[in-house]
Amino acid sequence: MTDASRPGLALETATDRVSIAVMSSEDPASAHVVEEDVGHGHTRRLSSLIASALSRAGARARDLGWIATDVGPGSFTGVRVGLATAKALALVSGARLLGASSLTALAHAAGGTKSLTLPLVGAGRRDLYMGFYRTDSQGGVHLLAAPRVGPPETLLEAVSEAHALLGDHSVRFVGPGAARERERLEAAWPGSTALEFRHEGLSALDVAAAASREDGPGAGLPAPGHETDPAYVRPAQAEEKVRHRVMGLTPPGIRSLVPADLPEVEELEHRLFGDPWPRSFFLEALADPTALLLVAERGGGVAGYLVATLVPPGAELQNLATAFVHQRGGIARALMEELIAICRTRGVRVLGLEVRVSNAAAQGLYRTLGFRLVGLRRGYYKSPIEDALLMALRLN
Ligand SMILES: CC(C)(COP(=O)(O)OP(=O)(O)OC[C@H]1O[C@@H](n2cnc3c(N)ncnc32)[C@H](O)[C@@H]1OP(=O)(O)O)[C@@H](O)C(=O)NCCC(=O)NCCS
């Protein structure tokens, strides 16, 4: 964290229990913590709780050196209000803004070695948010897959899939959601909730600790200190309705990629990827008889593209992207459905791909198409370095 002489403020607002801590970076153990069950009253209570924590610590908002906040997932209102408050305070005080996800904070705080660590936070009604992390034999925490949301029975299927990638790792459910679903989790994975870790809730101290870590993507984590955008995992109902209305468009036109598309495709590639393909990769693919290159058109321009190699009975997705402005409009799904249809006609039995462990959008897409986790390749990606999940779709 920056400027160790100035106090820091940590906000945990992702559940009904708000936790605020004011501390010095040099001595986090002597933090002044204020906690309150606010129910749905985040908007009403947050400022006074912050004021109370600052006053207990004898600190002023304008003296803050850093502010760490929970970016979710959890309560939509809680995350929004927490993040907006943290950003406003950072703006006026000049403090450095840090973020950590509720799930990352729980995974780090849980510690342990050689385990599949699965933080659980309530997502309303019967649903839960679940994170996927692996701890190595030295206790290092690594992101394993993007978080998911759903009812416990669906999430338990995902746990079996993730566990199969790791072999002899123990399974540990942590966080407030683990307490809520304890019986069911124990029935599926005996001993998995025995630790009772952070079952009581989330803590501002865990958020501060996770947000201040410097082991960003290089360590397989989504740069905790840089996560200052909300991580909702599931869009709010209101957003969903608007999106479907705005994006309820006709399907995109799908056609083969031709050399004349390359300038547009290349520009998108550079905007969308930290490690973009150079033009030579596209030219090689265009000259490769086993390669399939498709573009999706919407509004007269290239909205997305896909590159795959088909060597029946196998096929491999090599590249897939949708222009920012067209994302969540069904472009990638249309491209993938076309690829799958072509694979079927050419006798492909298994379509495989690699995806960054942090790439929630792509993993969400592939799962809805029926892809399953089949492997983990450590340190596979560069810029930033990150593990790859291997996913496969069986075509009968
Ligand atoms: C991943 C990517 C290709 C998805 O493209 P897209 O055209 O926005 O995807 P679609 O609109 O067809 O989405 C289809 C489904 O994928 C999932 N999905 C897409 N974006 C998502 C997101 N941001 N979060 C969670 N799920 C998401 C949803 O299940 C979605 O269905 P829904 O909209 O009915 O909920 C796009 O985000 C992208 O180009 N990202 C950068 C490049 C990249 O990561 N490529 C993949 C490399 S493996």
Side-chain angles (χ1 to χ4, degrees):
M1 286 192 186
T2 53
D3 198 349
S5 61
R6 297 168 73 190
L9 170 70
L11 309 179
E12 168 43 64
T13 59
T15 64
D16 293 355
R17 182 161 158 277
V18 167
S19 165
I20 313 286
V22 178
M23 68 188 94
S24 88
S25 306
E26 288 153 340
D27 185 17
S30 65
H32 296 266
V33 180
V34 171
E35 295 188 332
E36 185 176 302
D37 280 314
V38 301
H40 296 298
H42 299 85
T43 316
R44 198 165 34 83
R45 292 295 299 139
L46 188 58
S47 316
S48 10
L49 291 172
I50 293 173
S52 152
L54 284 168
S55 126
R56 278 195 204 177
R60 293 171 307 181
R62 64 170 175 270
D63 298 332
L64 293 170
W66 53 267
I67 300 169
T69 191
D70 188 332
V71 298
S75 149
F76 278 105
T77 309
V79 169
R80 278 201 176 106
V81 173
L83 198 46
T85 305
K87 283 188 175 174
L89 282 172
L91 203 62
V92 292
S93 63
R96 184 177 169 204
L97 183 64
L98 303 158
S101 102
S102 49
L103 303 172
T104 303
L106 282 168
H108 273 293
T113 54
K114 287 200 87 179
S115 70
L116 170 61
T117 303
L118 304 148
L120 289 166
V121 173
R125 292 185 292 272
R126 290 186 57 241
D127 289 356
L128 291 164
Y129 295 108
M130 180 184 270
F132 296 83
Y133 298 81
R134 63 179 172 89
T135 55
D136 60 32
S137 48
Q138 269 83 50
V141 179
H142 309 267
L143 184 68
L144 179 65
R148 297 187 54 177
V149 59
E153 52 278 14
T154 314
L155 296 176
L156 279 171
E157 280 171 34
V159 173
S160 304
E161 225 177 278
H163 189 247
L165 302 184
L166 298 179
D168 60 344
H169 283 47
S170 60
V171 172
R172 302 191 323 156
F173 295 101
V174 302
R180 197 186 90 184
E181 295 294 334
R182 184 170 195 160
E183 247 174 67
R184 190 195 300 261
L185 301 175
E186 280 294 327
W189 297 93
S192 60
T193 66
L195 194 62
E196 301 212 357
F197 201 86
R198 292 298 194 268
H199 283 191
E200 75 284 6
L202 291 153
S203 134
L205 297 176
D206 293 341
V207 171
S212 64
R213 297 182 68 91
E214 296 298 334
D215 53 358
L221 289 165
H226 301 280
E227 286 177 20
T228 45
D229 287 333
Y232 294 130
V233 177
R234 167 165 69 189
Q237 267 174 358
E239 279 172 30
E240 276 287 82
K241 276 190 196 153
V242 172
R243 186 166 67 84
H244 280 122
R245 209 173 303 142
V246 176
M247 296 294 222
L249 312 158
T250 47
I254 307 281
R255 60 167 174 79
S256 295
L257 188 152
V258 294
D261 295 317
L262 286 184
E264 236 179 312
V265 165
E266 242 186 318
E267 199 189 319
L268 290 179
E269 179 77 13
H270 278 87
R271 282 196 190 172
L272 289 159
F273 292 101
D275 52 351
W277 273 21
R279 176 176 280 229
S280 59
F281 281 28
F282 287 99
L283 289 172
E284 274 167 34
L286 278 167
D288 178 354
T290 70
L292 176 76
L293 296 90
L294 300 173
V295 295
E297 285 183 311
R298 181 166 274 164
V302 173
Y305 53 91
L306 168 158
V307 180
T309 45
L310 275 66
V311 185
E316 187 79 17
L317 179 69
Q318 307 286 355
N319 198 342
L320 170 71
T322 299
F324 282 121
V325 66
H326 292 291
Q327 286 185 7
R328 291 311 291 260
I331 297 290
R333 184 188 296 283
L335 284 163
M336 287 299 293
E337 283 173 352
E338 180 70 13
L339 168 64
I340 291 165
I342 293 172
C343 282
R344 285 187 198 282
T345 60
R346 299 215 194 146
V348 169
R349 307 286 293 274
V350 182
L351 172 57
L353 59 85
E354 287 108 18
V355 57
R356 284 183 181 267
V357 288
S358 67
N359 193 340
Q363 288 171 42
L365 165 71
Y366 302 139
R367 268 196 319 270
T368 63
L369 291 166
F371 282 81
R372 296 286 168 258
L373 300 182
V374 291
L376 176 69
R377 209 162 275 166
R378 292 177 195 181
Y380 176 79
Y381 287 106
K382 312 282 170 261
S383 311
I385 296 171
E386 195 175 322
D387 296 346
L389 282 173
L390 310 189
M391 299 184 81
L393 174 68
R394 296 201 172 279
L395 301 166
N396 297 315

